[in-house]
Amino acid sequence: METITAILERAQQRAKEMNLPYEGALLPAEALTLLQEAPGARLVDVRSRAEWDWVGRIPGAVEIEWQSYPGMRANPDFLNYLSSQVDKESMVMFICRSGGRSHQAAAIATDSGYANCYNILEGFEGDKDATGHRGTRGGWKAAGLPWVQG
């Protein structure tokens, strides 16, 4: 088992290389290790309710929509929901479908006082494959990490 320190150092190095405004960038398997091993670590899934219901959920994740389906309107209460469910001192890892919305959520959370924010690269479903489908190239699901279908 890889150490928490080694994972965090690699994630922080990625953030430096990518010029990210938050603490680090994790691969899905690294995020699962931190979720299981780092005291107080929280996983925040910022996908839409439709994605949780139709695509799958991560057991134990805090679910807070970044945007609402249909229409993908921004959730004006995102930070209020986050602060009511996740302590500002916690290590917070954000995930979405492929890493875009979670990047935005990690940046906004950092701006509002969460000092230990990470984005999960590849997200839940990863990028599209040659046939235009997600879930086979990268991401939480393709890595075989724990998830359930609603």
Side-chain angles (χ1 to χ4, degrees), residues 42 61-64 80-87 90 114:
R42 304 296 302 270
V62 175
E63 296 175 343
I64 306 171
N80 291 333
Y81 287 124
L82 184 64
S83 67
S84 73
Q85 298 179 65
V86 179
D87 190 278
S90 296
Y114 287 81

Side-chain angles (χ1 to χ4, degrees), residues 16 21-22 25 40 51 55 57 65 70-71 75 79 95-96 98 121-123 126 130 133 135 138 148-149:
K16 204 172 289 179
Y22 41 81
E51 289 169 296
V55 181
R57 288 182 144 91
E65 288 183 304
N75 177 357
L79 287 172
I95 193 168
C96 66
S98 57
L121 302 170
E122 303 175 6
H133 297 106
V148 295
Q149 192 82 47

Side-chain angles (χ1 to χ4, degrees), residues 7-17 19-26 34 90-94 103 106-107 109-111 114-119:
I7 293 170
L8 293 178
E9 285 174 355
R10 201 164 47 248
Q12 291 161 356
Q13 182 60 38
R14 283 185 201 112
K16 204 172 289 179
E17 291 167 3
N19 198 30
L20 300 175
Y22 41 81
E23 193 66 20
L26 297 160
L34 293 176
S90 296
M91 175 191 305
V92 190
M93 300 173 287
F94 294 91
H103 163 78
T110 298
D111 282 349
Y114 287 81
N116 207 4
C117 294
Y118 293 81
N119 183 27

Side-chain angles (χ1 to χ4, degrees), residues 39-53:
R42 304 296 302 270
L43 176 64
V44 178
D45 188 335
V46 301
R47 294 176 299 145
S48 69
R49 184 166 311 288
E51 289 169 296
W52 301 323
D53 289 346

